[in-house]
Amino acid sequence: MTAADPSLAFPAKFLWGTATASHQVEGNNTNNDWWAWEQQDHIRDGTRSDLACDHYHRFREDFELLAALHQNAHRLSLEWSRIEPTPGYFDREAIRHYRDVLEWLRRLNLEPVVTLHHFTNPLWLSSKGAWETVEVVDAFGRYVARAVDAFGDLVRYWVTINEPVVYATKGYLEGLWPPGKRSLRLLAQVLHNMILGHARATRIIRDRSPRTDVQVGVAHHLRVFDPYRPILPVDHFVARVGEAFFNRAVLLSMLKGQFQFPFGRGPVPDGHDGLDFIGLNYYSRDMAALDFRYPRNYFGSFFPHPDRPKTAAGWEIYPEGIYRLLKFLGQFDKPILITENGVADERDELRPAFLISHLQQIHRAIREGVRVEGYLHWSALDNFEWAEGRRLRFGLIHVDYDTLERTVKPSGELYAKICAMGGLDAGMIAAYT
Ligand code: FCB
């Protein structure tokens, strides 16, 4: 095996892997609010998660494949609705299943990064308003305690909540995800409760985990916001508002244990020193402009740059963004895991160059002193992409949804070389950028 060019080698213990989420890959998650939402025909391409990738039954082969592709880490989420199908009742079979999953990862030397909440809520919780009411904090805490007791010996990296701001914006501002509401009041309340839930979960994990090396973080979706018309101060202002709301307020509330405007005031109970690491989910950049058609967004509109290259999801491909956001996060002096980064690309035409160019920018940030400890590409497998359905393919591994056959894509092979070398080499860069 060749080695990475010394100038493009990543740190020695770097985590190289991929990320998934339970509902998107497992199949038959019939007991959560996303399943119910799908039955109401909200999915853009008319598909449903159904059997998804049947990963619930095929996790062994899937993880063997990831290990054979030289990965050494894997992010997954626990499906709360399986573990606690009715309030206070914990399902032994589901717990056994996730122990098998985590033991299998460990056996294959894939470091598990475990998310406790990745968008889906058990039906019993959503019927009570899910994250809209403060009762969720106790419910979440009870589930987290059970999960730490059941799996704590196997898990070093816990992610409490995936992308709180995306969850709240999609479900409570845009109305495109369950529960399909549009209310600024509820949006703020949901995020307030997620900040509380994160703090509660963090304390529970630290108190109950049997591991001395346990690390708690959040997977935070950050975007770059740039003014569309740089000569207009109002566009700069809109970009700053977008950034303050989307990138900073929730993250800083969790990090400092002090509520940031507009999600509350004063100290967050249990919130002190709320993050051992920061999980960065990075996809794209938005242009920001003043636009009187959007009073709900404070007259701001956010959109992909019309003239730049885009993914199949219509998102701008902007590798430098990950560097800029890593530099922003670097100021907090916490270890950073890239918990997601990837591209919707049906034919795997964009992904190889996407991988290389983003890794180059990550390497640049590391060279400048930012403490990036791992890269988890979204995603291992093509999977069910929420309101977009199956149309968008994010996997390094292709899934044929009729036969469920897995085929490693060229980008998957390329990533395997990168993982094996622990970095990039000049030949790859020349070939793909
Ligand atoms: C992120 C989600 C993840 C996946 C990617 C494409 O916002 O966390 O589940 O859908 O986008």
Side-chain angles (χ1 to χ4, degrees):
M1 183 61 59
T2 48
D5 284 13
S7 61
L8 294 163
F10 279 63
K13 290 193 179 147
F14 202 73
L15 297 180
W16 293 102
T18 47
T20 62
S22 54
H23 191 73
Q24 296 179 271
V25 294
E26 286 181 349
N28 278 331
N29 276 325
T30 57
N31 195 25
N32 70 31
D33 52 353
W34 260 94
W35 184 274
W37 186 250
E38 291 162 35
Q39 310 317 305
Q40 296 161 22
D41 292 330
H42 288 293
I43 310 307
R44 200 204 279 223
D45 66 1
T47 58
R48 296 179 181 185
S49 60
D50 294 328
L51 205 54
C53 309
D54 194 28
H55 178 69
Y56 197 81
H57 298 108
R58 298 171 190 238
F59 70 89
R60 289 191 182 78
E61 301 94 275
D62 286 341
F63 294 161
E64 279 167 10
L65 188 50
L66 300 180
L69 293 171
H70 304 289
Q71 298 177 23
N72 64 14
H74 184 67
R75 174 173 175 232
L76 76 163
S77 73
L78 304 176
E79 178 59 33
W80 185 356
S81 66
R82 286 189 190 267
I83 292 180
E84 191 181 0
T86 53
Y89 168 75
F90 293 93
D91 188 86
R92 287 172 61 180
E93 228 171 275
I95 290 175
R96 180 72 246 162
H97 169 82
Y98 285 115
R99 268 207 79 85
D100 288 348
V101 164
L102 294 166
E103 282 170 0
W104 195 243
L105 285 173
R106 286 251 166 254
R107 179 149 351 144
L108 294 166
N109 291 318
L110 291 159
E111 177 74 39
V113 177
V114 177
T115 309
L116 288 151
H117 185 274
H118 196 125
F119 296 155
T120 52
N121 298 301
L123 280 175
W124 59 262
L125 187 74
S126 65
S127 72
K128 293 196 255 183
W131 294 83
E132 293 168 30
T133 69
V134 75
E135 282 78 55
V136 69
V137 179
D138 285 340
F140 187 54
R142 185 177 59 193
Y143 152 67
V144 172
R146 191 73 190 83
V148 179
D149 291 350
F151 316 121
D153 56 325
L154 297 167
V155 183
R156 173 169 188 217
Y157 294 99
W158 291 97
V159 171
T160 55
I161 301 178
N162 181 68
E163 299 190 344
V165 185
V166 172
Y167 172 88
T169 307
K170 294 283 188 189
Y172 292 90
L173 188 66
E174 298 176 359
L176 296 172
W177 288 10
K181 297 186 182 173
R182 289 163 188 258
S183 154
L184 284 177
R185 185 183 60 79
L186 286 177
L187 172 84
Q189 209 162 296
V190 162
L191 286 169
H192 175 92
N193 291 333
M194 286 191 145
I195 293 163
L196 289 173
H198 166 81
R200 175 74 62 89
T202 303
R203 182 173 57 73
I204 290 172
I205 296 167
R206 289 186 182 144
D207 285 354
R208 297 174 92 104
S209 170
R211 296 179 66 112
T212 51
D213 62 353
V214 69
Q215 300 272 300
V216 189
V218 64
H220 191 45
H221 187 127
L222 283 107
R223 306 180 71 79
V224 172
F225 294 92
D226 278 338
Y228 184 49
R229 297 158 298 187
I231 49 160
L232 293 189
V234 282
D235 284 7
H236 285 266
F237 175 73
V238 174
R240 280 208 301 275
V241 171
E243 202 172 70
F245 164 74
F246 203 89
N247 289 354
R248 304 176 86 103
V250 169
L251 181 68
L252 293 184
S253 301
M254 290 180 175
L255 192 72
K256 297 186 172 174
Q258 291 284 334
F259 281 112
Q260 309 286 303
F261 176 80
F263 303 125
R265 252 193 239 140
V268 179
D270 291 325
H272 168 71
D273 197 15
L275 293 172
D276 299 318
F277 72 92
I278 302 174
L280 166 61
N281 290 3
Y282 174 70
Y283 289 91
S284 191
R285 151 165 94 162
D286 286 320
M287 293 292 126
L290 183 75
D291 190 328
F292 288 106
R293 286 170 304 175
Y294 296 103
R296 276 175 168 275
N297 276 0
Y298 305 98
F299 303 103
S301 83
F302 300 98
F303 50 90
H305 196 294
D307 308 326
R308 301 280 163 80
K310 292 188 191 53
T311 73
W315 304 345
E316 182 190 347
I317 301 176
Y318 182 58
E320 198 181 347
I322 201 164
Y323 166 79
R324 290 173 60 186
L325 293 168
L326 285 171
K327 293 291 278 190
F328 161 69
L329 293 179
Q331 69 182 298
F332 304 117
D333 201 27
K334 297 276 181 191
I336 298 165
L337 277 186
I338 293 160
T339 34
E340 290 182 28
N341 172 235
V343 51
D345 173 20
E346 171 135 21
R347 283 189 254 277
D348 206 41
E349 290 158 346
L350 305 171
R351 193 169 292 100
F354 183 98
L355 260 176
I356 302 278
S357 55
H358 284 73
L359 286 168
Q360 276 182 290
Q361 295 291 338
I362 295 165
H363 191 263
R364 179 177 165 206
I366 294 174
R367 267 195 328 259
E368 293 176 18
V370 182
R371 294 164 61 192
V372 187
E373 299 194 346
Y375 176 79
L376 302 163
H377 189 80
W378 185 274
S379 184
L381 305 164
D382 291 335
N383 60 47
F384 177 73
E385 178 50 31
W386 307 112
E388 300 294 326
R390 288 178 177 171
R391 182 183 68 90
L392 296 185
R393 290 183 177 269
F394 277 91
L396 293 166
I397 299 168
H398 179 270
V399 176
D400 178 326
Y401 289 118
D402 294 325
T403 62
L404 292 174
E405 191 190 338
R406 276 73 164 146
T407 312
V408 179
K409 300 179 189 180
S411 58
E413 304 287 2
L414 173 66
Y415 189 50
K417 280 194 200 135
I418 296 169
C419 297
M421 289 195 303
L424 307 171
D425 66 25
M428 283 172 181
I429 293 178
Y432 291 107
T433 54

